[in-house]
Amino acid sequence: MELFKIYDIDREIIDVAIKTYRTQKIKIADNLIGSTAKIYNLTLVTRNINDFKNMELDILNIHQ
């Protein structure tokens, strides 16, 4: 059973990350994670929702 899937960073993710960075100045690592979640319509599980709050993502904080 596969619990996790690894996504490669491709041109589409980079393009979304660049557009996001130009308007929101999100740190590059968080930006790439958020952009990947956005492209693949994934729920992002994180404790630090503030880093992603302006990216219009489905975010789950299991510690709340």
Side-chain angles (χ1 to χ4, degrees):
M1 179 177 184
E2 185 176 310
L3 294 177
F4 299 97
K5 178 165 175 45
I6 297 173
Y7 293 89
D8 292 325
I9 296 174
D10 60 16
R11 186 66 192 183
E12 186 177 14
I13 293 169
I14 291 169
D15 289 343
V16 170
I18 289 169
K19 289 177 187 172
T20 302
Y21 184 77
R22 286 182 179 156
T23 60
Q24 300 178 30
K25 305 298 183 207
I26 296 172
K27 293 180 277 186
I28 191 66
D30 291 337
N31 197 336
L32 290 170
I33 292 166
S35 295
T36 302
K38 184 176 251 186
I39 293 295
Y40 290 101
N41 296 313
L42 302 170
T43 298
L44 180 62
V45 180
T46 181
R47 292 179 81 174
N48 193 358
I49 59 173
N50 289 332
D51 286 347
F52 303 97
K53 66 182 175 185
N54 295 324
M55 290 190 73
E56 299 177 6
L57 299 170
D58 183 20
I59 298 176
L60 174 63
N61 181 351
I62 59 173
H63 298 282
Q64 284 184 333

